[in-house]
Amino acid sequence: VVDLRSDYELVHQPHALKDYKDIAYYHINLLQLEDLSVVPDNIKDYQDLSGFYIFMIEANKEQFKKVFDIFLQHPYDCTLFNCSAGKDRTGVISALLLDLAGCHEYDIVKDYSESYENNMAMIKELEAMMEDGNEKYLGSDPRMMMKFLAYLRESYGSAQGYLQHIGLSEEQVVQLKENFVI
């Protein structure tokens, strides 16, 4: 299990599988924020969620490398990864994995956009806890993932290029691909 949540989130909602027998648990604070509650304060600095996703992969390269190193360390095991809502941090990791596996961009975007429907029950609770005007960050508009993927392609060519840029070797990236593609 790779828990991508902040330290704050862990304190307020400990992971159910941490310390569970026969399950390796890893915590990687993908946002490097200790006091993340619902929406990071600095998310307002970005035009939209796609800008936040771009910031995430650029400012947290070491953390992203750690996540993919864990995938490499467990090639034959089921590896679960999660954040709180499974849309932003988990969505970016999923997009990188799907791109690496050769999925069509349409399928990556569709997978991401389904997060909103899957989170409907949680969204009402989160809206009540948020400052006015921040509700827009709870959605999963397909355009946000399309813009993120466009940036990934323009800057790195693909997920493979990004993973090599953050320190994985070409052989490790090929191994990751082989582990995820049957």
Side-chain angles (χ1 to χ4, degrees):
V1 173
V2 183
D3 189 343
L4 306 170
R5 297 175 302 151
S6 70
D7 297 339
Y8 176 91
E9 292 168 296
L10 291 182
V11 168
H12 288 75
Q13 189 175 18
H15 201 287
L17 297 176
K18 184 178 182 201
D19 300 322
Y20 196 87
K21 182 182 176 191
D22 298 327
I23 293 179
Y25 172 85
Y26 302 91
H27 172 237
I28 298 175
N29 185 345
L30 202 53
L31 295 180
Q32 300 182 52
L33 300 171
E34 293 180 13
D35 61 348
L36 173 66
S37 52
V38 178
V39 172
D41 288 335
N42 64 346
I43 199 170
K44 298 168 198 156
D45 297 340
Y46 306 98
Q47 179 181 0
D48 55 32
L49 277 174
S50 68
F52 179 61
Y53 299 160
I54 292 164
F55 164 78
M56 195 185 320
I57 67 167
E58 294 298 347
N60 298 284
K61 292 175 181 174
E62 184 178 317
Q63 286 83 350
F64 273 88
K65 183 176 183 313
K66 287 179 183 178
V67 170
F68 283 88
D69 282 341
I70 292 167
F71 293 153
L72 281 167
Q73 293 167 17
H74 300 279
Y76 305 110
D77 301 320
C78 173
T79 304
L80 306 173
F81 56 99
N82 69 279
C83 56
S84 291
K87 171 181 84 70
D88 300 318
R89 293 164 281 186
T90 299
V92 170
I93 296 285
S94 295
L96 292 170
L97 284 171
L98 291 170
D99 186 63
L100 187 64
C103 290
H104 191 276
E105 184 172 316
Y106 172 84
D107 294 316
I108 299 170
V109 171
K110 185 175 183 306
D111 181 70
Y112 168 78
S113 65
E114 288 177 6
S115 297
Y116 182 77
E117 190 69 34
N118 296 335
N119 288 333
M120 288 301 291
M122 183 190 315
I123 287 175
K124 297 283 186 223
E125 291 177 35
L126 293 174
E127 285 176 343
M129 297 167 29
M130 299 177 77
E131 295 177 26
D132 289 340
N134 285 345
E135 300 84 8
K136 64 184 175 185
Y137 298 114
L138 296 176
S140 54
D141 183 331
R143 292 174 294 179
M144 299 304 106
M145 184 54 65
M146 291 168 70
K147 288 167 72 174
F148 168 73
L149 291 171
Y151 175 85
L152 183 70
R153 297 204 193 312
E154 288 172 21
S155 301
Y156 300 102
S158 65
Q160 179 168 345
Y162 174 74
L163 294 174
Q164 287 180 244
H165 176 78
I166 63 172
L168 276 79
S169 69
E170 185 175 350
E171 294 78 24
Q172 288 175 310
V173 174
V174 169
Q175 182 182 350
L176 274 170
K177 257 192 231 186
E178 290 174 357
N179 293 346
F180 282 97
V181 178
I182 297 173

